[in-house]
Amino acid sequence: GAGVSQSPSNKVTEKGKDVELRCDPISGHTALYWYRQSLGQGLEFLIYFQGNSAPDKSGLPSDRFSAERTGGSVSTLTIQRTQQEDSAVYLCASSPRTGPNTEAFFGQGTRLTVV
Amino acid sequence: AQKITQTQPGMFVQEKEAVTLDCTYDTSDPSYGLFWYKQPSSGEMIFLIYQGSYDQQNATEGRYSLNFQKARKSANLVISASQLGDSAMYFCAMREGPPSASKIIFGSGTRLSIRP
């Protein structure tokens, strides 16, 4: 596609339910990143993928959070037993290669609200 | 460990004036890249400008320039002739090489407001 696509754009869920957030990166991009942005705050790194593997999962807040990437393309971020503090915008980004001189292209984000 | 610091939570600037947004970073890796992104109220992240650690000249992109002072580990963004549409959050970010450590870390951001 033309850009990074995330779905759904908005998700309201009840506390304790599981949610899945999807990211379709730009075709051919090998690196994929997930970030979380709480209201008025900066971007908190969650996890990044190089191909299907995740060299750095250090940002995942707890074991309720997991992510996978299949076929070197689509990625899913899963949050189990959601809590109110999980409410935030979840941003996905992709870049065509790793290394220091490559910017990341962002999707529009998924706004998650846990009630 | 990587660290990006933006010390200006908010700034107000008169339209048509130049503005400098501060960013300092900390890394022990000699190879790294520095980025600036703009996030308007719509929420999208817009890439503005990139500076490589080995680049000899400061990066420029239209009205944006990056004042790169490597010894001081600073990478300030300069916006010339500010416009009302420049009102947004601005984030400084860094990526270290090599590819095995390729996450991008963001600063806390600066909210820029342009006064007419």
Side-chain angles (χ1 to χ4, degrees):
Chain A
V4 179
S5 177
Q6 291 187 247
S7 60
S9 54
N10 281 283
K11 176 72 175 178
V12 179
T13 189
E14 291 181 351
K15 179 180 173 181
K17 294 285 181 68
D18 298 352
V19 295
E20 286 189 353
L21 311 180
R22 176 186 170 105
C23 174
D24 279 282
I26 295 172
S27 179
H29 280 195
T30 57
L32 185 148
Y33 311 85
W34 283 100
Y35 295 89
R36 178 168 73 173
Q37 187 176 30
S38 301
L39 188 63
Q41 303 298 310
L43 277 72
E44 175 189 5
F45 170 79
L46 298 178
I47 187 172
Y48 102 93
F49 290 90
Q50 173 64 10
N52 290 336
S53 65
D56 194 330
K57 305 179 183 179
S58 62
L60 294 177
S62 73
D63 58 8
R64 296 187 295 105
F65 287 72
S66 63
E68 64 175 13
R69 188 179 186 194
T70 55
S73 181
V74 172
S75 177
T76 303
L77 177 69
T78 301
I79 309 173
Q80 295 178 309
R81 306 180 302 282
T82 51
Q83 303 295 314
Q84 287 185 330
E85 60 263 30
D86 299 335
S87 296
V89 175
Y90 289 81
L91 290 164
C92 176
S94 69
S95 62
R97 64 184 183 278
T98 54
N101 60 336
T102 307
E103 73 268 25
F105 298 83
F106 281 82
Q108 294 286 357
T110 293
R111 182 176 298 278
L112 175 66
T113 304
V114 182
V115 298
Chain B
Q2 292 177 289
K3 186 175 181 181
I4 295 281
T5 302
Q6 295 181 255
T7 58
Q8 305 153 310
M11 290 187 70
F12 288 88
V13 173
Q14 201 68 32
E15 189 180 11
K16 299 182 184 177
E17 289 184 349
V19 56
T20 298
L21 305 182
D22 295 341
C23 173
T24 58
Y25 61 91
D26 185 27
T27 179
S28 56
D29 198 310
S31 177
Y32 52 90
L34 297 157
F35 308 84
W36 278 92
Y37 284 83
K38 173 184 178 181
Q39 187 179 43
S41 57
S42 58
E44 61 187 307
M45 291 288 287
I46 302 168
F47 166 73
L48 296 178
I49 196 167
Y50 162 82
Q51 180 82 43
S53 59
Y54 294 121
D55 292 345
Q56 296 297 311
Q57 293 185 324
N58 287 345
T60 60
E61 289 286 348
R63 293 187 300 112
Y64 304 108
S65 60
L66 201 152
N67 184 1
F68 180 46
Q69 298 188 42
K70 193 170 182 177
R72 299 177 66 177
K73 293 189 175 179
S74 85
N76 298 341
L77 177 70
V78 180
I79 306 175
S80 63
S82 58
Q83 302 171 355
L84 295 178
D86 294 334
S87 294
M89 282 289 288
Y90 288 80
F91 292 99
C92 180
M94 180 173 69
R95 165 192 265 150
E96 290 176 329
S100 60
S102 196
K103 65 185 179 185
I104 301 176
I105 298 296
F106 286 79
S108 56
T110 295
R111 181 171 299 280
L112 177 64
S113 300
I114 308 298
R115 293 189 178 118

